[in-house]
């Protein structure tokens, strides 16, 4: 009786394992309209991202960031100088020397 039970369990396990090893048949289907559209959108998006990355790399090569920093510092120096002159002129308009 015990041998029969063991053989039955082994056969059941073998049947379950054999069923899980079935190979799924691959069917070559033509992609649908939605798949074609999403692929086209993805390709356009990837192209745009690559173009933008290329532009950013070329801009970094021109060292525009450093030029912008120097332009900002020069501009603030000039504006602060002229603001000081205007402040001085306005002060002398309201408080003339006697």
């Amino acid at each position: 009786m015990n041998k029969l039970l063991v053989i039955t369990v082994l056969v059941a396990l073998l049947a379950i394992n054999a069923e899980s090893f079935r190979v799924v048949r691959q069917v070559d289907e033509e992609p649908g309209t939605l798949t074609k559209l999403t692929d086209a959108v993805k390709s356009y998006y990837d192209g745009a991202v690559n173009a933008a990355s290329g532009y950013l790399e070329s801009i970094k090569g021109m060292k525009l960031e450093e030029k912008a920093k120097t332009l900002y510092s020069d501009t603030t120096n000039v504006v602060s100088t002229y603001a000081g002159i205007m402040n001085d002129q306005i002060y002398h308009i309201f408080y003339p020397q006697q």
Side-chain angles (χ1 to χ4, degrees):
M1 180 69 180
N2 285 338
K3 291 180 185 179
L4 184 61
L5 183 63
V6 170
I7 291 173
T8 305
V9 170
L10 289 176
V11 168
L13 287 176
L14 182 64
I16 291 172
N17 287 335
E19 186 174 320
S20 66
F21 285 121
R22 287 186 182 172
V23 177
V24 178
R25 197 173 8 165
Q26 295 182 359
V27 178
D28 294 332
E29 293 182 8
E30 186 174 326
T33 306
L34 184 61
T35 305
K36 288 179 184 177
L37 286 174
T38 55
D39 289 343
V41 169
K42 285 180 185 179
S43 68
Y44 286 130
Y45 176 75
D46 290 338
V49 167
N50 290 337
S53 298
Y55 292 145
L56 285 176
E57 291 300 322
S58 66
I59 288 172
K60 286 181 182 177
M62 289 188 249
K63 298 182 181 178
L64 291 178
E65 188 174 334
E66 294 175 11
K67 292 178 183 177
K69 286 180 183 178
T70 57
L71 180 66
Y72 175 76
S73 63
D74 293 344
T75 304
T76 52
N77 287 337
V78 170
V79 168
S80 65
T81 301
Y82 284 113
I85 292 171
M86 283 294 289
N87 187 17
D88 207 26
Q89 293 294 324
I90 292 172
Y91 177 78
H92 286 293
I93 288 173
F94 288 120
Y95 301 107
Q97 293 191 356
Q98 299 169 6

